Coordinates of all heavy atoms in Angstrom, one line a residue:
M220 N -1.7 2.3 -16.1 CA -1.6 0.7 -16.4 C -0.9 0.0 -15.2 O -1.3 -1.0 -14.6 CB -0.8 0.4 -17.7 CG -1.7 0.8 -18.9 SD -0.7 0.6 -20.4 CE -1.9 0.8 -21.6
K221 N 0.1 0.7 -14.7 CA 1.0 0.1 -13.7 C 0.1 0.1 -12.4 O 0.0 -1.0 -11.5 CB 2.3 1.0 -13.4 CG 3.0 0.4 -12.3 CD 4.4 1.3 -12.3 CE 5.3 0.6 -11.1 NZ 6.6 1.3 -11.1
W222 N -0.8 1.3 -12.1 CA -1.6 1.2 -10.9 C -2.6 0.1 -10.9 O -2.9 -0.6 -9.9 CB -2.2 2.6 -10.8 CG -3.2 2.8 -9.8 CD1 -2.8 2.8 -8.4 CD2 -4.5 2.9 -9.8 NE1 -4.0 3.0 -7.6 CE2 -5.0 2.9 -8.5 CE3 -5.4 2.8 -10.8 CZ2 -6.4 3.0 -8.1 CZ3 -6.9 2.9 -10.6 CH2 -7.3 3.0 -9.3
I223 N -3.2 -0.1 -12.1 CA -4.3 -1.0 -12.3 C -3.8 -2.4 -12.0 O -4.3 -3.2 -11.2 CB -5.0 -0.9 -13.6 CG1 -5.8 0.3 -13.8 CG2 -5.9 -2.2 -13.9 CD1 -6.4 0.4 -15.1
Q224 N -2.6 -2.8 -12.6 CA -2.1 -4.2 -12.4 C -1.7 -4.4 -11.0 O -1.8 -5.4 -10.4 CB -1.0 -4.4 -13.4 CG -0.5 -6.0 -13.4 CD 0.2 -6.3 -14.6 OE1 1.0 -5.7 -15.1 NE2 -0.1 -7.5 -15.2
Q225 N -1.1 -3.3 -10.4 CA -0.6 -3.4 -9.0 C -1.8 -3.7 -8.1 O -1.9 -4.4 -7.0 CB 0.1 -2.1 -8.5 CG 0.6 -2.2 -7.2 CD 1.7 -1.0 -6.9 OE1 2.2 -0.6 -7.9 NE2 2.0 -0.9 -5.6
L226 N -3.0 -3.0 -8.4 CA -4.2 -3.3 -7.6 C -4.7 -4.8 -7.7 O -5.0 -5.4 -6.8 CB -5.5 -2.4 -8.1 CG -5.5 -1.0 -7.6 CD1 -6.7 -0.3 -8.1 CD2 -5.7 -1.0 -6.1
I227 N -4.5 -5.2 -8.9 CA -4.9 -6.7 -9.1 C -3.9 -7.6 -8.3 O -4.4 -8.6 -7.6 CB -4.8 -7.1 -10.5 CG1 -5.8 -6.3 -11.5 CG2 -5.2 -8.6 -10.7 CD1 -5.5 -6.3 -13.0
L228 N -2.6 -7.3 -8.3 CA -1.7 -8.1 -7.5 C -2.0 -8.0 -6.1 O -1.9 -9.1 -5.3 CB -0.3 -7.6 -7.8 CG 0.3 -7.8 -9.3 CD1 1.6 -7.1 -9.5 CD2 0.3 -9.2 -9.6
Q229 N -2.3 -6.7 -5.5 CA -2.6 -6.6 -4.1 C -3.9 -7.3 -3.8 O -3.9 -7.9 -2.5 CB -2.8 -5.1 -3.9 CG -1.6 -4.3 -4.0 CD -1.9 -2.8 -3.9 OE1 -2.9 -2.3 -3.9 NE2 -0.7 -2.1 -3.6
N230 N -4.9 -7.4 -4.5 CA -6.2 -8.0 -4.2 C -6.3 -9.5 -4.5 O -7.3 -10.1 -4.1 CB -7.3 -7.2 -4.9 CG -7.6 -5.9 -4.1 OD1 -8.2 -5.8 -3.1 ND2 -7.2 -4.8 -4.8
S231 N -5.3 -10.0 -5.3 CA -5.4 -11.5 -5.6 C -4.8 -12.3 -4.5 O -3.8 -12.0 -3.9 CB -4.6 -11.7 -6.8 OG -5.2 -11.1 -8.0
E232 N -5.5 -13.4 -4.2 CA -5.0 -14.4 -3.2 C -3.8 -15.1 -3.7 O -3.0 -15.6 -2.9 CB -6.1 -15.3 -2.7 CG -7.2 -14.6 -2.0 CD -8.2 -15.4 -1.4 OE1 -7.9 -16.7 -1.3 OE2 -9.3 -15.1 -0.9
C233 N -3.7 -15.3 -5.0 CA -2.7 -16.0 -5.5 C -2.3 -15.4 -6.9 O -3.2 -15.1 -7.7 CB -3.1 -17.4 -5.7 SG -1.9 -18.6 -6.6
I234 N -1.0 -15.4 -7.1 CA -0.4 -14.9 -8.5 C 0.3 -16.0 -9.3 O 1.2 -16.5 -8.7 CB 0.4 -13.6 -8.2 CG1 -0.2 -12.5 -7.5 CG2 1.0 -13.2 -9.6 CD1 0.8 -11.5 -6.9
I235 N -0.3 -16.3 -10.4 CA 0.3 -17.5 -11.1 C 1.3 -16.9 -12.2 O 0.9 -16.0 -12.9 CB -0.8 -18.3 -11.7 CG1 -1.8 -18.9 -10.6 CG2 -0.2 -19.6 -12.5 CD1 -3.1 -19.4 -11.2
V236 N 2.4 -17.7 -12.3 CA 3.4 -17.3 -13.3 C 3.7 -18.4 -14.1 O 3.7 -19.5 -13.6 CB 4.5 -16.5 -12.8 CG1 4.3 -15.2 -12.2 CG2 5.5 -17.4 -11.8
L237 N 4.1 -18.3 -15.3 CA 4.4 -19.3 -16.2 C 5.9 -19.6 -16.5 O 6.3 -20.5 -17.2 CB 3.6 -19.3 -17.6 CG 2.1 -19.0 -17.5 CD1 1.5 -18.9 -18.9 CD2 1.4 -20.1 -16.8
S238 N 6.6 -18.7 -15.8 CA 8.1 -18.7 -16.2 C 8.7 -18.0 -15.1 O 8.2 -17.2 -14.4 CB 8.5 -18.1 -17.6 OG 8.2 -16.9 -17.6
R239 N 10.1 -18.2 -14.9 CA 11.0 -17.6 -14.0 C 11.1 -16.0 -14.4 O 11.1 -15.1 -13.6 CB 12.4 -18.2 -14.0 CG 12.4 -19.4 -12.9 CD 13.7 -20.1 -13.1 NE 14.0 -20.9 -14.3 CZ 15.0 -21.5 -14.7 NH1 16.0 -21.7 -13.8 NH2 15.0 -22.2 -15.8
Y240 N 11.0 -15.8 -15.8 CA 11.1 -14.4 -16.3 C 10.0 -13.7 -15.8 O 10.1 -12.4 -15.4 CB 11.2 -14.5 -17.8 CG 11.1 -13.1 -18.5 CD1 12.2 -12.4 -18.5 CD2 10.0 -12.7 -19.0 CE1 12.2 -11.1 -19.1 CE2 9.9 -11.3 -19.6 CZ 10.9 -10.6 -19.6 OH 10.9 -9.3 -20.1
S241 N 8.8 -14.2 -15.9 CA 7.5 -13.4 -15.3 C 7.6 -13.2 -13.9 O 7.2 -12.1 -13.5 CB 6.2 -14.3 -15.6 OG 6.1 -14.5 -17.1
R242 N 8.2 -14.2 -13.2 CA 8.3 -13.9 -11.7 C 9.1 -12.8 -11.5 O 9.0 -11.9 -10.6 CB 8.8 -15.2 -11.0 CG 8.9 -15.1 -9.5 CD 9.1 -16.4 -8.9 NE 8.8 -16.4 -7.4 CZ 8.4 -17.4 -6.8 NH1 8.2 -18.5 -7.4 NH2 8.0 -17.3 -5.4
Q243 N 10.4 -12.8 -12.2 CA 11.4 -11.8 -12.1 C 10.8 -10.3 -12.5 O 11.1 -9.3 -11.8 CB 12.7 -12.1 -12.8 CG 13.8 -11.1 -12.5 CD 14.2 -11.1 -11.0 OE1 14.3 -12.1 -10.4 NE2 14.4 -10.0 -10.4
S244 N 9.9 -10.4 -13.4 CA 9.3 -9.1 -13.9 C 8.4 -8.5 -13.0 O 8.3 -7.2 -12.7 CB 8.4 -9.4 -15.2 OG 9.2 -9.9 -16.2
I245 N 7.8 -9.4 -12.1 CA 6.9 -8.7 -10.9 C 7.8 -8.2 -10.0 O 7.5 -7.0 -9.5 CB 6.1 -9.9 -10.3 CG1 5.1 -10.4 -11.3 CG2 5.4 -9.4 -9.1 CD1 4.3 -11.7 -10.8
L246 N 8.9 -8.8 -9.6 CA 9.8 -8.2 -8.6 C 10.4 -7.0 -9.3 O 10.6 -5.9 -8.3 CB 11.0 -9.3 -8.4 CG 10.5 -10.6 -7.8 CD1 11.8 -11.5 -7.6 CD2 9.8 -10.4 -6.5
N247 N 10.8 -6.9 -10.5 CA 11.6 -5.7 -11.0 C 10.6 -4.5 -11.1 O 11.0 -3.4 -10.8 CB 12.0 -5.9 -12.5 CG 13.2 -7.0 -12.4 OD1 13.8 -7.2 -11.4 ND2 13.4 -7.6 -13.5
V248 N 9.3 -4.7 -11.5 CA 8.3 -3.7 -11.7 C 7.6 -3.4 -10.6 O 7.4 -2.1 -10.2 CB 7.4 -4.0 -12.8 CG1 6.4 -2.8 -13.1 CG2 8.2 -4.2 -14.2
Y249 N 7.2 -4.3 -9.8 CA 6.3 -4.0 -8.7 C 6.8 -4.3 -7.3 O 6.1 -4.0 -6.2 CB 5.0 -4.9 -8.8 CG 4.2 -4.5 -10.0 CD1 4.2 -5.4 -11.1 CD2 3.4 -3.3 -10.1 CE1 3.6 -5.1 -12.3 CE2 2.8 -3.0 -11.2 CZ 2.8 -3.8 -12.3 OH 2.2 -3.5 -13.5
G250 N 8.1 -4.8 -7.1 CA 8.7 -5.0 -5.9 C 8.6 -6.4 -5.4 O 7.8 -7.2 -5.9
S251 N 9.2 -6.7 -4.2 CA 9.2 -7.9 -3.7 C 8.0 -8.4 -2.7 O 7.9 -9.5 -2.3 CB 10.6 -8.2 -3.0 OG 10.6 -7.2 -1.9
S252 N 7.2 -7.4 -2.5 CA 6.1 -7.6 -1.5 C 5.1 -8.6 -2.0 O 4.4 -9.3 -1.2 CB 5.4 -6.3 -1.2 OG 4.8 -5.8 -2.4
F253 N 5.1 -9.0 -3.3 CA 4.1 -9.8 -3.9 C 4.7 -11.3 -3.9 O 4.0 -12.2 -4.4 CB 3.6 -9.4 -5.2 CG 2.9 -8.1 -5.1 CD1 3.4 -6.9 -5.8 CD2 1.7 -7.9 -4.4 CE1 2.8 -5.7 -5.7 CE2 1.2 -6.7 -4.4 CZ 1.7 -5.6 -5.0
D254 N 5.9 -11.5 -3.7 CA 6.7 -12.7 -4.0 C 6.0 -13.9 -3.2 O 6.0 -15.0 -3.7 CB 8.1 -12.6 -3.6 CG 9.0 -13.8 -4.3 OD1 8.8 -14.0 -5.5 OD2 9.8 -14.4 -3.6
A255 N 5.6 -13.6 -2.0 CA 4.9 -14.8 -1.2 C 3.6 -15.3 -1.9 O 3.2 -16.5 -1.6 CB 4.7 -14.2 0.2
K256 N 3.0 -14.3 -2.7 CA 1.9 -14.9 -3.3 C 2.1 -15.7 -4.7 O 1.1 -16.3 -5.2 CB 0.8 -13.7 -3.7 CG 0.3 -13.0 -2.5 CD -0.6 -11.8 -3.1 CE -1.3 -11.0 -2.1 NZ -2.2 -9.9 -2.6
V257 N 3.2 -15.5 -5.2 CA 3.6 -16.1 -6.5 C 3.6 -17.7 -6.5 O 4.3 -18.2 -5.7 CB 4.8 -15.5 -7.1 CG1 5.3 -16.1 -8.5 CG2 4.6 -14.0 -7.3
R258 N 3.0 -18.2 -7.5 CA 2.8 -19.6 -7.7 C 3.4 -19.9 -9.1 O 2.8 -19.4 -10.1 CB 1.7 -20.4 -7.4 CG 1.1 -20.0 -6.0 CD 1.9 -20.9 -5.0 NE 1.4 -20.7 -3.6 CZ 1.8 -19.7 -2.8 NH1 2.7 -18.9 -3.2 NH2 1.3 -19.6 -1.6
S259 N 4.5 -20.7 -9.4 CA 5.0 -20.9 -10.6 C 4.4 -22.2 -11.2 O 4.4 -23.2 -10.5 CB 6.5 -21.0 -10.7 OG 7.0 -21.2 -11.9
E260 N 4.0 -22.2 -12.5 CA 3.5 -23.3 -13.3 C 4.6 -23.6 -14.3 O 4.3 -24.3 -15.2 CB 2.2 -22.9 -14.0 CG 1.0 -22.8 -12.9 CD 0.7 -24.1 -12.2 OE1 0.4 -25.2 -13.0 OE2 0.7 -24.1 -11.1
E261 N 5.8 -23.1 -14.2 CA 6.9 -23.3 -15.1 C 7.1 -24.9 -15.4 O 7.1 -25.3 -16.6 CB 8.1 -22.6 -14.8 CG 9.2 -22.8 -15.8 CD 10.5 -22.1 -15.3 OE1 10.7 -21.8 -14.1 OE2 11.5 -22.1 -16.2
R262 N 7.3 -25.6 -14.5 CA 7.6 -27.0 -14.6 C 6.3 -27.8 -15.3 O 6.7 -28.6 -16.2 CB 7.9 -27.7 -13.2 CG 9.3 -27.3 -12.7 CD 9.6 -28.0 -11.4 NE 10.9 -27.6 -10.8 CZ 11.4 -28.0 -9.7 NH1 10.7 -29.0 -9.1 NH2 12.4 -27.7 -9.3
R263 N 5.1 -27.4 -14.8 CA 4.1 -28.1 -15.5 C 3.9 -27.8 -16.8 O 3.6 -28.6 -17.6 CB 2.8 -27.8 -14.6 CG 1.6 -28.6 -15.0 CD 0.4 -28.1 -14.2 NE 0.5 -28.3 -12.8 CZ -0.3 -28.1 -11.9 NH1 -1.5 -27.5 -12.2 NH2 -0.1 -28.4 -10.5
V264 N 3.9 -26.5 -17.2 CA 3.8 -26.1 -18.6 C 4.9 -26.7 -19.5 O 4.7 -27.1 -20.5 CB 3.9 -24.4 -18.7 CG1 3.9 -24.1 -20.1 CG2 2.6 -24.0 -17.9
G265 N 6.2 -26.5 -18.9 CA 7.2 -27.0 -19.7 C 7.1 -28.6 -20.0 O 7.3 -29.2 -21.1
K266 N 6.7 -29.4 -18.9 CA 6.5 -30.8 -19.1 C 5.4 -31.1 -20.1 O 5.5 -31.9 -20.9 CB 6.1 -31.5 -17.8 CG 5.9 -33.0 -17.8 CD 5.6 -33.4 -16.4 CE 5.4 -35.1 -16.5 NZ 5.1 -35.5 -15.1
E267 N 4.3 -30.4 -20.2 CA 3.2 -30.6 -21.0 C 3.6 -30.3 -22.4 O 3.2 -30.9 -23.4 CB 2.0 -29.7 -20.6 CG 0.8 -30.0 -21.5 CD -0.5 -29.4 -20.9 OE1 -0.6 -29.7 -19.7 OE2 -1.3 -28.8 -21.6

């Protein structure tokens, strides 16, 4: 499961997260190499 999701992260041009917790989960489990791809929708979701 970890390998499959890591492949998705590697091949995705953009990684969308809905909270700071989700972003931190990526860093904790898969490392910081994907952080540049991460786009947070936390403010938009919270406002809506």
Side-chain angles (χ1 to χ4, degrees):
M220 290 174 172
K221 185 174 182 179
W222 176 72
I223 289 174
Q224 192 162 41
Q225 186 163 341
L226 274 182
I227 300 169
L228 296 172
Q229 288 172 347
N230 286 282
S231 295
E232 294 190 7
C233 174
I234 302 164
I235 302 165
V236 296
L237 305 181
S238 67
R239 280 173 287 182
Y240 175 80
S241 294
R242 185 172 200 150
Q243 191 60 47
S244 293
I245 294 176
L246 300 179
N247 291 344
V248 178
Y249 297 104
S251 60
S252 59
F253 301 113
D254 196 46
K256 293 184 179 182
V257 174
R258 300 291 179 268
S259 176
E260 291 293 307
E261 180 182 12
R262 290 185 180 180
R263 184 179 301 177
V264 171
K266 183 178 180 181
E267 181 164 318

